Amino acid sequence: RFQNLFILLSSYLFYGLWDWRFLFLIIASTVIDFIVGQKIATCNERKLKKRWLWLSVVFNLCLLGFFKYYNFFVESWVDFVSVMGYDIKSKWTLKIILPVGISFYTFQTMSYSLDVYYGRIKPSKDFLSFATFVAFFPQLVAGPIERASNLLNQITNKRTFRYSQCTDGLKLILWGLFKKVVIADSIAPIVDDIFANYAAYPASTLILGVCLFSFQVYGDFSGYSDIAIGTAKLLGIELMSNF
């Protein structure tokens, strides 16, 4: 419990340093899905179980959709009305930024509720462990998205330090940094120049830009994932390899 409390507080501190107000979103998603998991397990009627599941799905998707797509749809509506000849101001847009990592933790908590509903796992009775599972900082903002059957089981058990696991984690962190800094960040200026001045370059250069961009994107996401997996190893947690 001390290990989990330390990781949970560290995770909230890590996320709160970016914007502490969005911590309430993680906490709300954690509380809702923890309660949903308990209710699904104790309900005897299938219809009632499905209602609790829908509560989790609707809450998480509305949370994600509101912050990620609200301004997009409002601005699209304003542009559409402008084409029809009406000039209106987009006063309904929200002057907020997208909460970082919201896609990862909403889908992670929602997948937990789905696993409980279909009987793949038993619901967690330890709120501290479940909150640690949701807010686990190595993969909170960049993934990989973990199933409760893999990550939550490890969190509920006591971890012990293993030298081999630590060295493997450090190697993965360095390899991830190499992908991100040396490969992706080195390619980015070339790709940005080609995409910004596409009219001035021949087709062969544009094809080269597209190919380099694929390496840049892979280096970014694969590098982030390796750093996350390596950091988790330092804490005695094994995350799945998604690249």
Side-chain angles (χ1 to χ4, degrees), residues 186-203:
S186 298
I187 294 174
I190 303 172
V191 173
D192 291 344
D193 177 66
I194 294 174
F195 285 5
N197 304 286
Y198 61 89
Y201 288 111

Side-chain angles (χ1 to χ4, degrees), residues 42-214:
T42 55
C43 287
N44 295 321
E45 296 183 15
R46 188 172 181 84
K47 289 184 178 180
L48 199 55
K49 287 186 176 183
K50 188 170 289 187
R51 289 176 185 175
W52 282 109
L53 176 64
W54 273 110
L55 173 62
S56 171
V57 172
V58 171
F59 175 80
N60 285 291
L61 291 183
C62 286
L63 193 69
L64 178 63
F66 179 76
F67 282 95
K68 198 165 187 175
Y69 298 110
Y70 177 82
N71 282 349
F72 169 77
F73 284 116
V74 170
E75 290 170 0
S76 298
W77 171 252
V78 171
D79 293 338
F80 173 75
V81 173
S82 298
V83 171
M84 302 298 292
Y86 298 95
D87 186 18
I88 61 173
K89 296 180 179 179
S90 56
K91 61 180 181 179
W92 296 107
T93 56
L94 301 176
K95 304 301 180 182
I96 60 172
I97 57 177
L98 177 67
V100 66
I102 189 171
S103 300
F104 295 101
Y105 64 77
T106 51
F107 281 118
Q108 190 156 297
T109 56
M110 189 166 60
S111 71
Y112 163 80
S113 299
L114 287 165
D115 284 342
V116 172
Y117 177 79
Y118 287 108
R120 300 188 185 107
I121 60 171
K122 294 182 178 180
S124 174
K125 297 181 180 179
D126 183 358
F127 182 77
L128 176 61
S129 297
F130 182 74
T132 305
F133 156 72
V134 176
F136 189 54
F137 74 89
Q139 47 91 231
L140 175 61
V141 298
I145 297 175
E146 279 286 345
R147 301 294 290 265
S149 56
N150 178 47
L151 181 54
L152 187 56
N153 287 337
Q154 297 183 72
I155 290 175
T156 55
N157 297 322
K158 183 181 178 180
R159 279 86 63 192
T160 56
F161 177 80
R162 287 189 293 148
Y163 179 79
S164 59
Q165 191 178 37
C166 181
T167 54
D168 289 344
L170 290 173
K171 289 176 183 177
L172 264 178
I173 292 173
L174 290 174
W175 180 232
L177 285 170
F178 177 83
K179 289 179 182 177
K180 175 67 180 78
V181 178
V182 178
I183 298 177
D185 288 356
S186 298
I187 294 174
I190 303 172
V191 173
D192 291 344
D193 177 66
I194 294 174
F195 285 5
N197 304 286
Y198 61 89
Y201 288 111
S204 58
T205 304
L206 299 181
I207 294 173
L208 175 63
V210 172
C211 293
L212 289 176
F213 181 63
S214 65

